[in-house]
Amino acid sequence: MEKPVILLITPPLTQLNTPYPATAYLKGFLGMQGYQVDQADFGIELVLKMFSRKGLKRIFEQIETGNYNLTDNSLRMLRLKREYLNTIEPVIRFLQNKDNTLAQQISYSRYLPEASRFDQVEDIDWAFGSMGITDRARYLATLYLEDLGDLIKETVCPYFAFSRYAESLAMSATTFDSMESALQQAPNLVDQMLLELLEERLQQVQPDVVGFSIPFPGNLYGGLRLAQYIKQHYPHTKTMMGGGYPNTELRSLHEPRLFQYIDFVTLDDGEGPWLKLLEYLQGKRQVDFLQRTFLLQNHKVDYINGCLDKDVPHTEVGTPDYDGLPLQNYLSVIDVINPMHRLWSDGRWNKLTVAHGCYWKRCSFCDITLDYINRYDVAPATLLVDRIEQLIAQTGQTGFHFVDEAAPPAPLRDMAIELIRRGVKISWWGNIRFEKTFTPDLCRLLAASGCIAVSGGLEVASDRLLHLMEKGVSIEQVARVTDAFTQAGIMVHAYLMYGFPTQTAQETIDSLEVVRQLFVNNVIQSGYWHRFSMTAHSPVGKNPGKYGVVKVGPEEGPFANNDLWHEDPTGTDHEMFGPGLAKAIYNYMHGVALEEPLSFWFDFKVPRTTHKRNLIARAVQQAVKPDSERRAARVFWLGNLPEVDFTMYAKKGQTLERCELTFYEIAEDFQIKTTAAIGQWLFDLLRKLLAEESQAVTLQQLEESFPAEANLTFAEFLHSPTWFTLREKGLLLL
């Protein structure tokens, strides 16, 4: 075989607002190796096919001719069929940002037909005021789509949801039975639409190999339904599968029935294994020298990892290539009125990683034994910013979501400096650890480079449990770091956890009190509670006894093995707390009921918190290390080079020289008046810091170059109004 033609597919469904990046990464890498690669996001394509006038008409017709037991809500929607058909395409164009003039009508007139989702409309006047008309309309249009999604789920396709498809079939699926049974059923209407998209793309591309990226359980059924069609109609075409779901769930795979649909399943990063597979298909590599690949040999599933090559380093994976994805057709939806949550669903974000893996890799609830966490590999800032510039040129979009497990502080600092040095203007956000390296100065630097938001794990706000988790942070440290981000104008979202092994009712209530105080002090703006889940690849899953829990199932099966069931004999009944915690944080995010007692959120008796009410306020107010003790810190100037003016004046019979530095900055201009010696020294320093190829300068080096004729010591200068003004206006110590 000559070099095969490859089609990479993300099956439905992940996000509506931006493509999942796996196929773009693989296309970029394989394209550098000389392969012809096409890609498709069948999530957005399927939604656009369904939610068109033609697609919706097919759905309504099937409901009307089918034998469905309809609720009153669905009957109402059927009666409003004409209004839905007339509005669907304008609403989709509006959500694609192709017709924003519709916002006024959606917001303030009876434009959209309304069903049950509109019963839960939040206080949108509070949320959007009189100015946020487009956002208000986007929120209402999202409710309208979700109403239609509910109708579809109740009738023609029980598997449908906007960010997942038939997820329940793949969740904790130790056997393949349920999935196989579903695949043997005749395709439902949504399946049929999906297969029509596939047939059209197969005719266009004529691929020899079709690769499926399966990031989540909600992508597996769609991927296998597509692969089934390929095997039935194009049996010569090879099918491959990789992604987050196989990486975590299928590591002990020995289910032969999967291979009726998929020829090869690969684990961990796809670049190396897929390159080896393509060489194998061309007859250039023996089967025994494949890399991290499951395949069927002699009716038995074999795992082949005889390849001696190392993984492709982060510096060589290339830049994601989004060519072929309909970037202008994604939908910006707002399903939750929260400025941080909307980043996940609103706007088109280029997705990149600062580094491969996690630099911390110790958290006991995390899959730290797996490659995507365990193998830490970082690329230099110059290469990262090269990739950023390439993506801007290719997509026309300057928004970036760094999808690292935890973006490392030092590479983030270097990236920020490189972005500022080159004058590359982007907006970016990502996941971090709330560690003390994120000083107020570093947060100001990240904000200046375009950082608009960060998310990080506070998990359980209990120092005992944080230590048991090996999280490497304390409550007070989290408070100071989140305050530093907030003061820099960066939104903060906290991942919160309840139900960790041995967690008591007292610790759960104390955690909620910490979260309440974080909102009261406005050091976080958003949060979400997750119930602890024990997984097979985490330290807790590998050694439950060490953490005081007992694994009770499920029995290991031939298919997916990751989610574990456990009993927590010493902990509280965690399930009782879930609804109250969710209700509390929902209200806290809206600034509501922050002073209510914690018992307000629960319909059962809970203990009083043991925390003092000023725990977070005291942590935030704690004095920071003075500049004089940070001699090794790098000095960085965010502003421009000032204009300098020297004047002579007389004092006590002496003629002296004074210096006036005038700074012209984005928001305001300001002046510094000082002696001629210090003024000239400052001007030379700032010119050096702003030079195109400037070397890092430390505070120690500043002290060594401080002019002897300044009439004060460097230590005294660090306590002078001149120094304080410069620090306030953008002189950073990193």
Side-chain angles (χ1 to χ4, degrees):
M1 182 194 284
E2 295 181 2
K3 278 199 169 179
V5 174
I6 303 159
L7 173 61
L8 301 175
I9 294 173
T10 304
L13 282 148
T14 49
Q15 290 173 275
L16 298 180
N17 63 310
T18 199
Y20 195 78
T23 62
Y25 262 104
L26 267 178
K27 177 174 166 61
F29 175 76
L30 294 174
M32 290 194 307
Q33 318 304 316
Y35 289 95
Q36 179 190 327
V37 184
D38 286 85
Q39 63 183 330
D41 179 353
F42 279 166
I44 190 63
E45 291 190 31
L46 176 63
V47 165
L48 295 179
K49 188 177 179 75
M50 292 168 64
F51 296 96
S52 63
R53 186 184 184 91
K54 185 178 174 184
L56 207 52
K57 193 174 180 187
R58 284 174 69 182
I59 290 167
F60 276 121
E61 284 172 357
Q62 178 151 331
I63 296 171
E64 288 167 339
T65 57
N67 184 24
Y68 299 107
N69 186 18
L70 299 177
T71 61
D72 289 345
N73 185 60
S74 294
L75 286 168
R76 168 180 165 76
M77 294 182 71
L78 279 186
R79 293 179 184 119
L80 294 172
K81 178 175 84 168
R82 188 172 67 111
E83 282 72 19
Y84 280 108
L85 292 176
N86 289 342
T87 52
I88 188 62
E89 291 187 352
V91 167
I92 291 294
R93 282 198 304 275
F94 169 72
L95 290 173
Q96 291 171 326
N97 293 301
K98 293 178 179 178
D99 186 5
N100 286 335
T101 58
L102 200 58
Q104 190 82 21
Q105 273 210 78
I106 292 175
S107 289
Y108 294 115
S109 70
R110 288 290 181 187
Y111 183 80
L112 298 176
E114 298 180 7
S116 61
R117 291 280 182 160
F118 285 78
D119 297 343
Q120 325 156 39
V121 170
E122 302 181 36
D123 184 354
I124 55 177
D125 287 328
W126 169 85
F128 301 116
S130 59
M131 295 298 289
I133 294 172
T134 302
D135 283 353
R136 178 194 188 106
R138 206 179 298 288
Y139 173 62
L140 294 171
T142 303
L143 295 178
Y144 161 93
L145 278 190
E146 288 176 336
D147 271 335
L148 287 168
D150 293 343
L151 176 67
I152 290 163
K153 188 177 179 69
E154 191 182 311
T155 54
V156 299
C157 180
Y159 297 145
F160 183 77
F162 277 106
S163 59
R164 58 191 68 89
Y165 191 47
E167 181 183 58
S168 59
L169 294 176
M171 291 285 283
S172 305
T174 54
T175 78
F176 196 60
D177 294 349
S178 297
M179 183 66 73
E180 177 73 352
S181 174
L183 290 168
Q184 295 313 311
Q185 303 292 318
N188 62 54
L189 178 59
V190 175
D191 290 343
Q192 290 169 29
M193 292 183 174
L194 177 62
L195 297 176
E196 288 163 14
L197 289 169
L198 175 65
E199 176 59 33
E200 189 180 322
R201 191 58 62 98
L202 292 174
Q203 291 297 329
Q204 283 174 4
V205 178
Q206 304 275 317
D208 304 297
V209 175
V210 177
F212 296 98
S213 171
I214 311 291
F216 307 113
N219 301 96
L220 183 63
Y221 170 81
L224 293 182
R225 186 57 96 175
L226 293 165
Q228 178 188 50
Y229 182 90
I230 292 169
K231 288 303 176 191
Q232 288 169 349
H233 298 89
Y234 301 87
H236 63 281
T237 302
K238 296 296 182 185
T239 53
M240 295 154 61
M241 182 172 95
Y245 182 81
N247 293 349
T248 53
E249 305 281 338
L250 303 185
R251 301 192 79 86
S252 57
L253 177 66
H254 51 282
E255 171 55 82
R257 287 179 293 176
L258 175 65
F259 293 88
Q260 302 168 81
Y261 313 104
I262 300 291
D263 294 309
F264 307 102
V265 177
T266 66
L267 298 182
D268 303 325
D269 283 6
E271 289 87 357
W274 286 38
L275 195 58
K276 310 301 183 290
L277 271 171
L278 293 171
E279 291 171 1
Y280 165 68
L281 293 174
Q282 295 168 80
K284 297 178 180 178
R285 178 177 288 265
Q286 293 179 356
V287 69
D288 293 343
F289 291 97
L290 292 176
Q291 187 176 34
R292 297 194 301 271
T293 299
F294 288 104
L295 50 81
L296 198 65
Q297 294 188 118
N298 302 319
H299 310 291
K300 177 175 158 289
V301 180
D302 284 338
Y303 179 65
I304 311 293
N305 193 22
C307 174
L308 302 175
D309 298 352
K310 290 185 176 179
D311 283 291
V312 178
H314 195 53
T315 52
E316 295 176 19
V317 295
T319 304
D321 183 351
Y322 287 92
D323 185 47
L325 295 176
L327 298 182
Q328 307 311 314
N329 292 343
Y330 284 84
L331 309 180
S332 287
V333 296
I334 299 178
D335 49 1
V336 179
I337 297 180
N338 174 271
M340 185 77 202
H341 279 226
R342 66 178 291 177
L343 293 178
W344 275 277
S345 61
D346 184 17
R348 244 281 300 133
W349 301 97
N350 296 315
K351 295 185 186 251
L352 265 183
T353 47
V354 177
H356 179 283
C358 178
Y359 67 100
W360 180 251
K361 55 188 175 194
R362 294 183 213 169
C363 299
S364 56
F365 56 83
C366 187
D367 294 339
I368 61 174
T369 58
L370 299 186
D371 178 82
Y372 80 98
I373 301 281
N374 191 262
R375 182 169 59 84
Y376 180 64
D377 182 16
V378 66
T382 49
L383 180 58
L384 183 57
V385 178
D386 286 346
R387 289 175 179 169
I388 288 170
E389 291 193 292
Q390 288 169 31
L391 280 172
I392 293 171
Q394 183 193 129
T395 66
Q397 303 283 344
T398 58
F400 285 81
H401 176 197
F402 292 105
V403 292
D404 301 66
E405 296 302 311
L412 278 180
R413 175 201 65 205
D414 295 344
M415 178 193 78
I417 289 171
E418 186 66 12
L419 286 168
I420 292 167
R421 188 186 71 78
R422 294 193 198 182
V424 177
K425 294 290 188 181
I426 65 170
S427 302
W428 64 269
W429 58 291
N431 202 41
I432 54 132
R433 291 181 65 249
F434 293 130
E435 62 162 86
K436 59 187 177 185
T437 317
F438 288 106
T439 62
D441 282 22
L442 179 53
C443 293
R444 288 178 70 187
L445 175 76
L446 299 181
S449 75
C451 181
I452 56 171
V454 293
S455 54
L458 170 55
E459 317 306 351
V460 179
S462 150
D463 283 337
R464 179 187 80 84
L465 292 172
L466 287 170
H467 178 72
L468 186 61
M469 287 179 173
E470 296 193 56
K471 190 72 189 169
V473 299
S474 67
I475 293 170
E476 293 191 352
Q477 180 182 314
V478 168
R480 286 190 288 274
V481 171
T482 52
D483 181 55
F485 277 111
T486 300
Q487 294 298 329
I490 296 169
M491 280 194 299
V492 180
H493 173 86
Y495 294 113
L496 304 162
M497 184 186 291
Y498 68 101
F500 192 75
T502 71
Q503 184 174 353
T504 63
Q506 184 67 63
E507 285 170 324
T508 302
I509 291 300
D510 284 348
S511 287
L512 181 57
E513 172 61 14
V514 169
V515 171
R516 185 193 72 80
Q517 291 189 33
L518 290 168
F519 277 102
V520 166
N521 288 277
N522 191 33
V523 296
I524 65 172
Q525 293 73 50
S526 175
Y528 188 79
W529 291 98
H530 302 256
R531 173 81 184 268
F532 167 76
S533 174
M534 191 163 92
T535 60
H537 311 296
S538 68
V540 180
K542 288 190 172 297
N543 190 0
K546 177 183 173 184
Y547 298 89
V549 292
V550 180
K551 176 189 166 186
V552 294
E555 278 189 39
E556 194 165 311
F559 192 55
N561 289 293
N562 185 37
D563 292 333
L564 303 177
W565 309 334
H566 71 282
E567 288 179 352
D568 185 357
T570 57
T572 187
D573 180 354
H574 305 299
E575 198 162 323
M576 293 194 328
F577 286 90
L581 293 172
K583 198 187 303 181
I585 200 158
Y586 177 84
N587 282 278
Y588 292 168
M589 286 192 294
H590 290 76
V592 174
L594 283 161
E595 298 303 328
E596 291 285 351
L598 301 182
S599 58
F600 177 76
W601 305 111
F602 303 95
D603 54 9
F604 55 93
K605 188 172 175 59
V606 296
R608 290 176 177 273
T609 180
T610 61
H611 286 313
K612 293 182 177 176
R613 289 180 70 83
N614 64 349
L615 172 72
I616 299 301
R618 282 178 55 198
V620 168
Q621 290 160 9
Q622 191 172 20
V624 297
K625 188 188 286 189
D627 291 350
S628 56
E629 295 178 21
R630 301 177 62 193
R631 294 291 207 269
R634 175 177 179 172
V635 182
F636 191 85
W637 174 240
L638 290 175
N640 295 316
L641 192 65
E643 290 183 1
V644 60
D645 184 33
F646 293 95
T647 55
M648 309 298 290
Y649 70 101
K651 186 177 181 182
K652 294 182 180 179
Q654 287 183 294
T655 302
L656 301 173
E657 196 174 15
R658 173 190 291 145
C659 179
E660 192 173 273
L661 299 164
T662 305
F663 295 79
Y664 297 95
E665 302 298 344
I666 294 172
E668 60 174 341
D669 306 333
F670 67 97
Q671 289 183 328
I672 287 178
K673 295 177 181 178
T674 185
T675 65
I678 292 176
Q680 186 63 56
W681 173 77
L682 278 175
F683 183 78
D684 293 342
L685 166 68
L686 295 175
R687 185 164 52 188
K688 186 177 180 182
L689 293 177
L690 290 169
E692 188 70 21
E693 299 298 330
S694 66
Q695 298 295 309
V697 177
T698 66
L699 192 62
Q700 179 71 44
Q701 289 170 313
L702 251 65
E703 180 172 21
E704 291 164 2
S705 68
F706 192 67
E709 63 274 20
N711 295 327
L712 75 165
T713 66
F714 187 70
E716 290 169 331
F717 175 69
L718 292 182
H719 291 88
S720 70
T722 296
W723 180 255
F724 291 147
T725 300
L726 286 168
R727 292 286 278 127
E728 179 195 340
K729 301 297 185 184
L731 189 71
L732 307 180
L733 297 182
L734 303 171

